[in-house]
Amino acid sequence: MKKLGNIYITLVLLFLYVPIFVLIVFSFNESKSTTFTGFTFEWYEKLFRNEIIISSLINTVIIAIAASLISTILGTFAAI
């Protein structure tokens, strides 16, 4: 029974992490199609030259830091 549980956990983890790994690999693809033709940083260069995306990234980081600080303060007060 324990072996069945290990197989189940392995399948669930593969189901969750394989698509992420595939997405990372294909984000460096030279072609726009799904066939891997070569390695390039072109898409990341275009990404970081886009001002709208950069401002969205900065806003996201600010909100994440603020949410973390506020939740830490509230959690500390709740624990005390």
Side-chain angles (χ1 to χ4, degrees):
M1 193 65 168
K2 183 173 175 118
K3 184 172 175 102
L4 186 63
N6 288 339
I7 292 172
Y8 177 74
I9 292 293
T10 303
L11 288 175
V12 168
L13 291 175
L14 283 173
F15 180 76
L16 291 173
Y17 288 112
V18 167
I20 295 170
F21 178 73
V22 170
L23 186 67
I24 290 169
V25 169
F26 278 104
S27 73
F28 294 104
N29 190 6
E30 191 174 63
S31 173
K32 287 185 180 181
S33 67
T34 57
T35 57
F36 198 85
T37 58
F39 186 84
T40 184
F41 286 108
E42 174 189 0
W43 307 115
Y44 287 101
E45 290 173 9
K46 288 182 180 182
L47 174 76
F48 289 115
R49 286 190 183 142
N50 190 332
E51 291 180 22
I52 296 171
I53 292 178
I54 295 299
S55 68
S56 297
L57 176 66
I58 292 170
N59 288 340
T60 301
V61 170
I62 290 171
I63 290 170
I65 290 171
S68 298
L69 290 174
I70 291 169
S71 64
T72 301
I73 292 168
L74 289 175
T76 303
F77 285 140
I80 292 175

